[in-house]
Amino acid sequence: YSPDLRTPLHPPVLSEQAASLLPDGDRPAVLWRIDLDHDGAVLDVDVRRARVRNRAQLDYASVQHLYDSGRADQWLVLLREIGELRREIEIARGAVDVRVPDQEIEALDGGFQLVNRVSTPVESWNAQVSLLTGMCAARLMIDGRVGILRTMPAPSPDDLDAVRRTASALAIDWPARLSYPELIRSLDPAVPAHAAFLEAATSLLRGAGYTPFDGEKPTLSTHSAVAAPYAHVTAPLRRLVDRYGQEIAVALCAGREVPEWVQAAMPGLVPDMRAGDQRARTLDRACVDFMEAVLLARRVGEAFSAVVVQRRGDAYAVQLADPPVRARAAGDGLELGERVRLRLAEADPATRTVRFVPA
């Protein structure tokens, strides 16, 4: 996705018709049934092909409004109940939830605006259902001795020490009894020092990849941020690997061999997904950089208030409050989490460059 167009993974005759979940008729689908106990723990999982009919096309903002106004129906109430139960389980197993606001470009009155968007509660509950499904998929694959997992190694002791030193520099209290995931959940991104620490903490979320296997469970079989084995299966219309993960799950639940075309494709999926992820990140960053430069192009020379959120050698990353721009800044002696006054030295849409210096 980019602000002004979509580049679909599949032909529109599939993504917008035969394989879509638009509420205009029956569709073939992969149906996951996950039975939970009263605490939200998994009792049983079944995956099969089915025909389904979507009853409504919803969006997060309107659904959140239904919750906030007390008009959520029984199915939305159930989503909230399951989401909260699964969140408690997530906390108990030590998963990491770094809540840094996303820079997003939104359409507005024929143009575009840049916003810092914080996710709504319903997005969190929906994400818990997706995580639950991915964890069930991984368990099916591991028990069935074949699959492709989404994996990420745990942070190294040196990386954790570096982040702990960052917390100390920002005067954030990190008692020895408090784990890294617990500390992350206790912080408020609206507090400048906390925002700077959360930005630094994203450095620990590195090394994510895909691990195919056929036979023994791979040495690395968990995703450290999820704190459990995990697989991508919930978004086959926008992420290619999910298409294969679903086929594996359907076969395993039916007691059949995984189709040969799926097994043959798995090794090549790893470089394909790596290249696709990199391309998507590059596009997203380029769009935001361009939008920031456009917003500020006529304001070179003006002074802005900002918070220092990252430091790399002599270079700094700063977050402006208005407009919600993240940019590079030069200077001496700036401190992480410090509120600073900066002057805009450069804003060039042609090179997507924005640069600040001390005011």
Side-chain angles (χ1 to χ4, degrees), residues 9 50 76 176 190 205 209 235 318 353:
L9 175 64
L76 293 179
L205 305 178
V318 296
T353 300

Side-chain angles (χ1 to χ4, degrees), residues 114-281:
L114 185 65
V115 298
N116 273 343
R117 197 180 69 81
V118 179
S119 63
T120 59
V122 68
E123 289 176 81
S124 173
W125 302 327
N126 189 67
Q128 287 297 334
V129 173
S130 292
L131 282 167
L132 168 65
T133 308
M135 291 167 64
C136 289
R139 180 46 54 193
L140 285 172
M141 293 174 185
I142 290 172
D143 291 345
R145 298 166 63 89
V146 61
I148 181 164
L149 304 175
R150 181 65 166 167
T151 56
M152 187 168 76
S156 71
D158 287 345
D159 287 342
L160 278 171
D161 285 344
V163 171
R164 186 174 284 277
R165 289 194 297 272
T166 299
S168 178
L170 292 168
I172 293 174
D173 184 30
W174 189 348
R177 58 177 173 75
L178 199 65
S179 70
Y180 162 65
E182 289 172 324
L183 176 68
I184 291 292
R185 290 180 184 275
S186 72
L187 301 180
D188 180 357
V191 177
H194 293 188
F197 180 81
L198 291 171
E199 196 75 37
T202 60
S203 67
L204 299 182
L205 305 178
R206 293 183 298 200
Y210 293 94
T211 304
F213 66 102
D214 188 358
E216 291 299 318
K217 182 175 71 172
T219 303
L220 177 61
S221 62
T222 59
H223 190 292
S224 63
V226 178
Y230 176 61
H232 276 158
V233 293
T234 60
L237 289 183
R238 66 174 178 85
R239 197 168 48 207
L240 184 63
V241 69
D242 299 47
R243 173 77 177 88
Y244 295 89
Q246 286 193 342
E247 288 293 334
I248 294 168
V250 168
L252 291 173
C253 278
R256 297 194 303 266
E257 290 292 322
V258 173
E260 185 178 337
W261 62 267
V262 173
Q263 295 191 16
M266 282 201 295
L269 278 175
V270 175
D272 284 348
M273 292 305 301
R274 185 185 301 121
D277 288 346
Q278 179 59 44
R279 190 177 301 117
R281 286 193 297 270

Side-chain angles (χ1 to χ4, degrees), residues 1-6 104-116 287-288 290-296 323-324:
Y1 296 94
S2 56
D4 56 342
L5 58 87
R6 291 185 302 118
E104 293 188 357
I105 300 171
E106 294 182 346
L108 178 68
D109 299 330
F112 299 96
Q113 65 175 350
L114 185 65
V115 298
N116 273 343
C287 289
V288 171
F290 175 73
M291 188 69 182
E292 290 176 335
V294 169
L295 283 173
L296 295 171

Side-chain angles (χ1 to χ4, degrees), residues 91-111:
I91 293 171
R93 71 172 183 266
V96 179
D97 181 19
V98 181
R99 294 166 295 139
V100 179
D102 291 324
Q103 274 184 303
E104 293 188 357
I105 300 171
E106 294 182 346
L108 178 68
D109 299 330

Side-chain angles (χ1 to χ4, degrees), residues 68-84:
D68 296 341
S69 61
R71 294 184 292 118
D73 63 23
Q74 61 177 325
W75 306 112
L76 293 179
V77 170
L78 181 61
L79 173 63
R80 177 174 58 196
E81 180 182 355
I82 292 173
E84 292 292 350

